[in-house]
Amino acid sequence: MSSQAATWESTAEKKTVVPKKAAASVKLVDKAADLVIRAGGLLIIGAVFAIMFFLIKECVPLFMPAKSEIVFTKPWPGLTGEQKPLFVGIDNNQAVAYALDAGSKSLILANAYTWQPILQVPIPALAASEITASYRVPYEDEFFAGTQDGKVLAAKMPVETTYGADNAPSYLADVLERFFVQVGQDPVRLVHGRVRESNVYVAAVLESASGQSVFSVIAPDGEEPVVEPVQGQWDGVIRQVLMDDEGSKLLVLTDKGTIYHYFLDNDRTKPFAVYEAKEGRRPTAIEWVIGDASMLVGFSDGSLEHWLQVRKKSTDVMRAYVKSYDFDSLKGAVTAIVPSSHTRGFVAASDGGSVHVGFTTSERTLLKLQAPAPVEALVYGAKNTAVLAYDKNKNATIWTVENPHPETTFKTLFSKVWYEGFDQPEFAWQSSSGSDSFEAKYSLTPLIVGTVKGAFYGLLFAVPMAIFAALYTSQFMHWKNRAIVKPTVEIMAACPSVVVGFLAGLWLAPLLESVTVSVLLMVFVIPTVVLALFMCWSRVPQYYRDKVPHGMELVILVPAVIVGFMISNALGPVVEDIFFQANFKQWVFNVFGEQMEQRNCIVIGLAMGFAVIPIIFTISEDALTNVPRHFVSGSLALGASRWQTATRVILPTASPGIFSAVMIGFGRAVGETMIVLMATGNTPIMSMSPFNGMRTLSANIAVEIPEAPVGSTHYRVLFLAAVVLFMMTFAVNTAAEIVRQRLREKYQAV
Amino acid sequence: MTTLETQATPMTQKSTPTEMTHAVPAQAMGGLHTETTLIEVKDCNLFYGSKQALFDISMNIPAKRVTAFIGPSGCGKSTLLRCINRMNDLIEGVRIEGSMNINGINIYDRRTDVIELRKRVGMVFQKSNPFPKSIYENICYGLRIAGVNDKKVLDEVVERSLKGAALWEEVKDRLHDSALGLSGGQQQRLCIARAVAVEPEVILMDEPCSALDPIATAKVEELIHELKKQFTIVIVTHNMQQAGRCSDYTAFFYLGKLIEFDATERIFTNPKEKQTEDYITGRFG
Ligand SMILES: Nc1ncnc2c1ncn2[C@@H]1O[C@H](COP(=O)(O)OP(=O)(O)O)[C@@H](O)[C@H]1O
Ligand SMILES: [Mg+2]
């Protein structure tokens, strides 16, 4: 021991200072490199986490519960008379509250924050009559009033707030008469209506000694209103009428809880459908949801339902109502329902003083507020951030409401939702449209399905191709050819995916459409021709075979592939004639009931396959090449053929690597954007069918993020789509890594 | 057992009888002339590209005996060994002249089926190379690729081969565990068992003990002793003692040439060639 130590020392001394110095600098460089690498690694992990954090931060508000605060409960300033106001409202800026005062026959305006009276706007038309009915359109500055002497007034009441130099508000309010028409001789008891693009549609109920009569008052485009009666046998006193914004649907609710559903265009003498109340539970309040297609129905026991129109047959034009959603019950009978002016949200109130804020399609009761007394009138602020309830004690209570994303829940994002116009709940992604009453549909499920579908068909094509190519290249190909083939395939990966997508969408898709059968035939014909060729080749005498230089067997493959291609092309129309009734598209439609689209999964498979083949090929080839040679020798020495060796020893040993190659390919395919954007139809459908296209998460984000206003639900849902995409790739990669480790343990090569 | 015999069809060349005694060159001494020749090498030259690795090798390897190849590194022992089951075919640019007969059949004949040849001439490598499969599947491999899948036959062969390789007692409880969990010596004996399982006539061993510790080496040597009752064994070794202990005949190679081939006893006690003596006494090598 000691002698050895001595020699160590002596050699160190002999070599003097130089090696020591070198060692110090080497150590320094080593340390620096270690530090840099460590820092780089941490930076990458940090960056990934930061991205994830940012994405999640943008989506979290989607799932935040609604918040609310009571502002005050005060009597309405400046109201005269004993009667309650005929209606109450808040202007579009949520700055001014107004009420129609039956006593002074004027609009009384108050500052919604300070509750100071602002203005009183008299309504001259009504000066001479007693107001007996009124209705304010919840999302326009429009109202209707009915009088004791049988007249109906339709008027607009613009309220404007302007801010002066000292930031002091000044107000402008007016009442502009649209029409004031004599409907009958009896007092008007109920009035309801809609204004759409200067068409006015009103329904009025007149009360006489002999009974009650319903009229429609329709004034198209500023013309003179036409008054027509609506006939019917009503089973009780009419409590409410609803007129839709096309002047066609009319609902009549009686105090027995029966709802009569008319289509006036079709038949004004009898209802199209009658919905009768169930025992002990009758509707007490009804109102359209924005769009006037579906409606909310409040009941005497405080329950609240959403009803949708559903077709019985796909050819039906007129559709009856069917209950679609249930909301939390209110205390006491429902007395008022007000829809939101721009979403499918609503506020409902009861004579027990409950005030509920909800959202129809997400089936959510967002807030449960309590007013001090039974509620008689309700307002939902135009921005959906304020609720005003006017109660029996003649007090107005104002709440602020904070709930920017009422329409999203896990259910609406991932599950089936029953939207207006649908005959049953469905998965739907439809994020934008021109009109305000359009409801955005944000189900991510079709996009997730589309993503998986695109990746699946891409891999269906790419995996066999890439793995067989890798097997051939690594095990059978002459090394000189391998040196060319491998880099060439890798160069494929450098082809920008936008080019691949462009070619696939604009050139390949129309081309394939006409020769689908031939292309499908190629899958079988080309391998058959190649195999046949190899059979023939093995029969060729060794003498001639030896003459072909090593590695040139590839050259004879080229004509084989061309011949296979030509055979498929020639055979295609024949096969189509015989087996597919001369028209493959038609045949697909007949057999599968699906329209074959031009941009279908064959195109996607080819284009996506082209994008992922290089990576799967490269990694698989490396894995196969890295199988130790001594396994090959061991197998061959036992009398195995090269094919047996390849399939029984090399493939299983390389399986962890091949598996991760496929998974990395899957990850690429899932994240691939440009190809799917250009080569698919981008239709967000729920179908794994190979005959149509898809819309993937990534393409969807790319298409829609420029048009989504920052902070909107749409914007946040797109971020959620990004999170889902992130999680999908994360899950796939993690699963892949775990499986790979397992396989590796099993097949570890020494 | 029976299935295996039907499996082993005679080699494609029909004209030659399976057992044949060949005339032994007159200069062969020490009982070699009384042996039955199994492998007959005649004027064998081998080239790796343009580089010649073997020069005019001629020798008769006797049946059911252990023949050792000794010589300094790079003298061509492994190369010659690989010629016997045509493993050299896998190496790019190898050219072989001369002839090599087993049972009188020229294995380099165009009509010879290499796969069948390798089933008859098994090989054990310097580095043990069990497949990353279970012990059981490693032994079965040769049978499975020959199309034998009957579980009863496989079970029988596995047991017999492992017993034959003196490994049965050690592994019988974990036949379905990975072979890579075995120790180095066990792995090498497993490779021998794997070769034995296909019932070859010849087993070639290329320095089978060079990576093993002395105890494992002793076990393998013992095994070789047992195996020679059934098989013709050709073993390449670096280790003179090993050649002395377990071989019947020894061939000494030097720079690609066969210097001397004789009974082991004679090579070690009374070599004819000066080079052989120098090598054996450790003067070079
Ligand atoms: N695959 C090969 N390619 C080229 N030369 C080789 C190859 N294998 C062996 N050789 C050469 O052939 C000669 C004999 O090698 P080898 O048979 O391995 O010797 P040994 O086994 O006796 O140590 C050596 O000179 C070696 O360099
Ligand atoms: Mg060697």
Side-chain angles (χ1 to χ4, degrees), chain A residues 568-582:
Chain A
S568 314
N569 242 349
L571 230 53
V574 181
V575 171
E576 192 163 357
D577 272 353
I578 297 171
F579 295 103
F580 304 114
Q581 298 145 12

Side-chain angles (χ1 to χ4, degrees), chain B residues 207-279:
Chain B
E207 304 193 33
C209 303
S210 63
L212 303 184
D213 61 63
I215 295 169
T217 303
K219 281 196 176 152
V220 172
E221 282 177 11
E222 217 172 286
L223 177 58
I224 290 169
H225 208 72
E226 281 300 306
L227 291 175
K228 79 172 182 191
K229 291 173 190 156
Q230 282 185 58
F231 306 98
T232 304
I233 294 172
V234 184
I235 178 169
V236 170
T237 177
H238 233 78
N239 180 327
M240 234 71 67
Q241 281 82 5
Q242 186 172 57
R245 276 195 302 268
C246 59
S247 70
D248 303 308
Y249 295 94
T250 298
F252 172 62
F253 294 86
Y254 185 57
L255 294 179
K257 296 191 178 88
L258 174 62
I259 305 299
E260 195 171 351
F261 178 38
D262 213 331
T264 302
E265 218 182 72
R266 198 168 304 220
I267 291 271
F268 279 85
T269 53
N270 187 15
K272 284 205 295 292
E273 302 292 329
K274 174 87 168 58
Q275 282 166 317
T276 315
E277 193 181 345
D278 287 352
Y279 181 69

Side-chain angles (χ1 to χ4, degrees), chain A residues 141-156:
Chain A
D141 304 328
E142 306 277 350
F143 75 91
F144 309 101
T147 62
Q148 178 76 30
D149 49 4
K151 282 174 150 182
V152 167
L153 170 76
K156 191 174 175 62

Side-chain angles (χ1 to χ4, degrees), chain B residues 47-281:
Chain B
F47 303 84
Y48 286 117
S50 56
K51 184 181 163 239
Q52 189 164 5
L54 295 177
F55 298 84
D56 291 323
I57 310 284
S58 293
M59 65 193 295
N60 291 339
I61 297 172
K64 303 262 161 83
R65 294 288 178 270
V66 179
T67 305
F69 289 180
I70 62 169
S73 258
C75 67
K77 309 180 294 287
S78 302
T79 302
L80 179 61
L81 196 74
R82 283 201 300 266
C83 285
I84 302 173
N85 68 348
R86 289 185 60 173
M87 286 300 274
N88 279 329
D89 290 11
L90 306 177
I91 299 168
E92 206 60 50
V94 170
R95 192 159 52 81
I96 299 167
E97 289 171 0
S99 73
M100 194 170 287
N101 295 344
I102 298 181
N103 276 337
I105 300 166
N106 183 2
I107 61 168
Y108 282 96
D109 189 277
R110 192 159 289 158
R111 280 165 295 177
T112 305
D113 181 355
V114 184
I115 286 173
E116 200 183 321
L117 168 71
R118 293 194 187 131
K119 284 190 174 125
R120 297 195 159 211
V121 184
M123 190 163 194
V124 176
F125 298 83
Q126 178 170 7
K127 188 171 187 297
S128 63
N129 58 353
F131 302 128
K133 297 171 186 282
S134 68
I135 294 169
Y136 185 92
E137 283 303 322
N138 261 281
I139 305 286
C140 293
Y141 186 80
L143 296 174
R144 285 206 195 272
I145 56 172
V148 181
N149 277 313
D150 183 346
K151 179 133 178 27
K152 253 168 66 193
V153 177
L154 293 178
D155 284 347
E156 207 182 292
V157 170
V158 167
E159 183 170 346
R160 198 180 57 230
S161 309
L162 285 172
K163 277 182 175 157
L167 199 57
W168 176 250
E169 287 305 319
E170 292 161 61
V171 302
K172 66 176 185 221
D173 299 326
R174 45 174 177 146
L175 288 177
H176 297 283
D177 290 2
S178 171
L180 301 174
L182 297 174
S183 73
Q186 288 173 324
Q187 286 192 9
Q188 193 59 297
R189 278 181 286 147
L190 179 71
C191 291
I192 295 174
R194 188 173 71 184
V196 165
V198 287
E199 305 207 309
E201 287 165 51
V202 184
I203 300 177
L204 309 175
M205 299 185 179
D206 192 350
E207 304 193 33
C209 303
S210 63
L212 303 184
D213 61 63
I215 295 169
T217 303
K219 281 196 176 152
V220 172
E221 282 177 11
E222 217 172 286
L223 177 58
I224 290 169
H225 208 72
E226 281 300 306
L227 291 175
K228 79 172 182 191
K229 291 173 190 156
Q230 282 185 58
F231 306 98
T232 304
I233 294 172
V234 184
I235 178 169
V236 170
T237 177
H238 233 78
N239 180 327
M240 234 71 67
Q241 281 82 5
Q242 186 172 57
R245 276 195 302 268
C246 59
S247 70
D248 303 308
Y249 295 94
T250 298
F252 172 62
F253 294 86
Y254 185 57
L255 294 179
K257 296 191 178 88
L258 174 62
I259 305 299
E260 195 171 351
F261 178 38
D262 213 331
T264 302
E265 218 182 72
R266 198 168 304 220
I267 291 271
F268 279 85
T269 53
N270 187 15
K272 284 205 295 292
E273 302 292 329
K274 174 87 168 58
Q275 282 166 317
T276 315
E277 193 181 345
D278 287 352
Y279 181 69
I280 285 165
T281 51

